[in-house]
């Protein structure tokens, strides 16, 4: 009887599917006499046959054998393979189920030989992206160094010209201050400087942990809403945010109550050319003269203004918008806007702190530390240095202790802490 054949890959590259025939003649099953009679009456048009294995499927009747019963079939020999045709003519023609012929079954082997090449290409494709991150930091670092060198050379060239010298003479970079501006730094400013430094360092620590935390070690939820869970690290981040907001409110009140706002809020349009002059002088490595106990330079004034009145409110508002404490009915600003602002704001703080630390260390370290931490105008004393070392040790300790195993007991005092 005639049965359809399942065709596979070609025997030769570019050839037709193997086998070429779509049907084959096989013995009819014993349980279907009518089909057997139809098969017997069918003429045998094939003269040159070759034996091929058959793929067997489900039985035709419940409990029967797999269909078809035979494991091989006779099909016309392919015209493009004369050597196979000769082998088929020499082989005996079985009329009943017979053991596998001596053919090596090349059809299943060819797909296996074709697979390694794509796998190698795929492995090579995966290996290429892994090499990029290791080179990217070096490329960025080299680019920054080249840009810095170009900037220094350009600034020194400009200062050496007549136009540049006249500009520096006219705008020396000194901060324009009102006559009523206070002189000196009060003690409350030194204490707020320490707390601000501590809280900012801890916020950066917990913020970076939150970004790369895949599975939190513990969760916190308010007792009134036990299903609204957050990680204990996020809980610590929110607590630090709240402390930073409280510190900011106290700082704003004292800043305007004592007149210290005049030292960091521009009061004249001339601050901008003075700030440009200060930037050129810094870049030319011939830094402007300054006396931070009495006045900042114009570039410092604008930097402190951005930190206190722009970056800090942006960090607070965007962080609150992304936190669970934000009311759900308030949709402004959008969550997308908050996420787009929060991380870049943290990067701004980090860059500002790095530049700030470098300038403090290179423009009179002991005098600057005395003004910042001891609130004294003493360029040679060691009080500010000692207080700075203590403050740095406290910050390092807080950074090291900000771990879930230590934060979880504190979080449990304000809500429910669970492992899942």
């Amino acid at each position: 009887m005639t049965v359809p054949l399942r065709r596979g890959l070609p025997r030769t590259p570019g050839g037709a599917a193997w086998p070429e025939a779509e049907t084959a003649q096989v013995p009819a099953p014993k349980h279907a006499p009518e089909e057997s009679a139809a098969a017997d009456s069918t003429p045998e048009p094939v003269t040159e046959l070759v034996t091929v294995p058959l793929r067997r499927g489900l039985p035709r009747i419940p409990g029967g054998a797999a269909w078809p019963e035979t494991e091989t079939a006779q099909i016309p020999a392919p015209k493009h393979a004369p050597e196979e045709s000769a082998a088929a003519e020499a082989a005996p023609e079985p009329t009943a189920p017979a053991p596998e012929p001596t053919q090596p079954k090349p059809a299943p082997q060819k797909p296996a030989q074709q697979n390694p090449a794509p796998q190698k290409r795929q492995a090579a494709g995966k290996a290429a992206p892994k090499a990029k991150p290791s080179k990217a930091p070096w490329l960025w670092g080299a680019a920054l160094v080249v840009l810095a060198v170009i900037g220094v050379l350009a600034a020194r060239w400009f200062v050496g010209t007549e136009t540049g010298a006249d500009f520096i003479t006219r705008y020396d970079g000194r901060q324009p201050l009102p006559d009523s501006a206070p002189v000196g730094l009060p003690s409350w400013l030194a204490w707020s400087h320490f707390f601000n430094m501590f809280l900012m360092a801890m916020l950066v620590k917990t913020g970076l942990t939150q970004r790369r935390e895949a599975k939190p070690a513990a969760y916190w939820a308010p007792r009134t809403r036990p299903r609204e869970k957050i990680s204990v690290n996020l809980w610590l981040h929110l607590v630090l945010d709240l402390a930073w907001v409280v510190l900011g409110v106290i700082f704003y009140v004292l800043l305007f109550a004592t007149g210290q706002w005049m030292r960091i809020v521009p009061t004249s349009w001339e601050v901008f050319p003075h700030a440009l002059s200060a930037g050129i002088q810094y870049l030319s490595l011939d830094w402007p003269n300054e006396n931070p106990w009495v006045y900042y330079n114009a570039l410092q004034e604008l930097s402190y203004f951005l930190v206190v009145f722009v970056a800090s409110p942006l960090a607070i508002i965007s962080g609150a918008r992304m936190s669970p404490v934000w009311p759900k009915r308030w949709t402004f600003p959008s969550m997308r806007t908050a996420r787009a602002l929060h991380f870049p704001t943290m990067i701004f703080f980090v860059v500002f702190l790095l530049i700030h630390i470098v300038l403090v260390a290179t423009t009179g370290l002991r005098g600057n530390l005395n003004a910042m931490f001891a609130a004294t105008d003493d360029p040679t004393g060691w009080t500010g240095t000692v207080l700075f070392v203590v403050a740095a040790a406290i910050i390092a300790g807080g950074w090291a202790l900000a771990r879930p195993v230590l934060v979880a007991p504190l979080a449990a005092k304000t809500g429910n802490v669970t492992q899942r």
Side-chain angles (χ1 to χ4, degrees):
M1 67 173 294
T2 302
V3 296
L5 291 179
R6 297 184 181 179
R7 307 173 72 191
L9 296 174
R11 286 293 183 90
T12 59
W18 175 256
E20 289 186 349
E22 297 182 356
T23 60
Q25 300 294 326
V26 299
K30 298 178 181 180
H31 56 273
E34 65 281 4
E35 295 180 6
S36 178
D40 293 336
S41 61
T42 304
E44 292 286 339
V46 179
T47 57
E48 296 182 2
L49 301 177
V50 62
T51 303
V52 296
L54 291 179
R55 297 182 182 180
R56 307 174 70 191
L58 297 174
R60 288 292 183 89
I61 59 174
W67 176 258
E69 292 184 353
T70 58
E71 297 180 355
T72 59
Q74 298 291 325
I75 62 171
K79 297 179 182 180
H80 57 272
E83 67 281 358
E84 294 178 4
S85 176
E89 292 175 357
E93 298 183 1
T95 57
E100 288 289 332
T102 58
Q103 268 186 310
K105 296 184 181 180
Q109 295 177 358
K110 286 187 177 180
Q113 294 175 356
Q114 296 173 358
N115 290 336
Q119 290 177 359
K120 291 181 180 179
R121 288 194 297 269
Q122 184 178 7
K126 291 182 178 178
K130 293 182 179 178
K132 291 181 180 179
S134 61
K135 297 180 181 179
W138 294 101
L139 294 177
W140 281 107
L144 290 177
V145 170
V146 171
L147 290 177
V149 172
I150 294 175
V152 170
L153 294 177
R156 293 185 69 86
W157 169 83
F158 178 75
V159 172
T161 63
E162 183 178 354
T163 303
D166 292 341
F167 180 77
I168 299 299
T169 302
R170 182 178 179 182
Y171 301 103
D172 59 359
R174 180 170 175 171
Q175 172 193 21
L177 279 175
D179 296 335
S180 59
V183 176
L185 302 175
S187 57
W188 67 264
L189 194 58
W191 282 103
S192 66
H193 187 275
F194 160 72
F195 284 117
N196 187 66
M197 185 172 65
F198 173 79
L199 290 175
M200 287 185 67
M202 296 300 297
L203 285 170
V204 170
K205 156 72 174 177
T206 54
L208 292 176
T209 302
Q210 186 63 29
R211 283 182 65 87
R212 63 172 179 261
E213 189 176 44
K215 183 178 181 181
Y219 296 87
W220 175 88
R223 294 187 176 93
T224 56
R225 299 185 303 275
R227 294 185 178 181
E228 299 180 5
K229 296 181 180 181
I230 60 175
S231 67
V232 293
N233 177 76
L234 181 56
W235 174 86
L236 178 60
H237 190 77
L238 295 176
V239 171
L240 293 170
D241 275 333
L242 180 60
W244 197 42
V245 170
V246 173
L247 176 65
V249 172
I250 297 174
F251 178 83
Y252 282 154
V253 171
L254 294 176
L255 189 70
F256 288 96
T258 60
Q260 289 290 329
W261 64 270
M262 286 181 279
R263 294 170 59 91
I264 62 173
V265 177
T267 56
S268 171
W269 289 107
E270 289 189 354
V271 68
F272 296 103
H274 278 288
L276 179 60
S277 174
I280 294 174
Q281 294 177 65
Y282 278 124
L283 200 55
S284 67
L285 304 182
D286 186 12
W287 293 353
N289 296 323
E290 58 182 14
N291 184 5
W293 185 259
V294 180
Y295 65 90
Y296 299 125
N297 65 54
L299 188 58
Q300 286 177 314
E301 180 184 19
L302 291 180
S303 300
Y304 294 147
F305 176 81
L306 288 176
V307 168
V308 175
F309 296 103
V310 178
S312 296
L314 278 179
I316 293 172
I317 294 174
S318 59
R321 177 65 180 91
M322 290 163 35
S323 72
V325 301
W326 189 267
K328 295 182 179 180
R329 63 180 181 275
W330 295 358
T331 58
F332 181 83
S334 65
M335 183 67 73
R336 182 177 182 180
T337 302
R339 289 174 177 170
L341 290 175
H342 198 67
F343 186 71
T345 304
M346 187 201 72
I347 298 298
F348 169 80
F349 278 120
V350 172
V351 174
F352 169 80
L353 287 175
L354 292 176
I355 298 175
H356 183 64
I357 291 171
V358 170
L359 293 179
V360 167
T362 55
T363 58
L365 179 60
R366 283 188 289 172
N368 289 330
L369 292 179
N370 282 330
M372 295 164 58
F373 289 92
T376 59
D377 185 19
D378 183 5
T380 59
W382 291 93
T383 305
T385 303
V386 173
L387 292 176
F388 169 74
V389 171
V390 174
I394 294 174
I395 293 173
W399 188 287
L401 295 176
R403 296 182 296 173
V405 66
L406 300 176
V407 175
L410 298 176
K413 297 183 181 297
T414 61
N416 299 325
V417 175
T418 59
Q419 299 295 324
R420 301 176 60 184

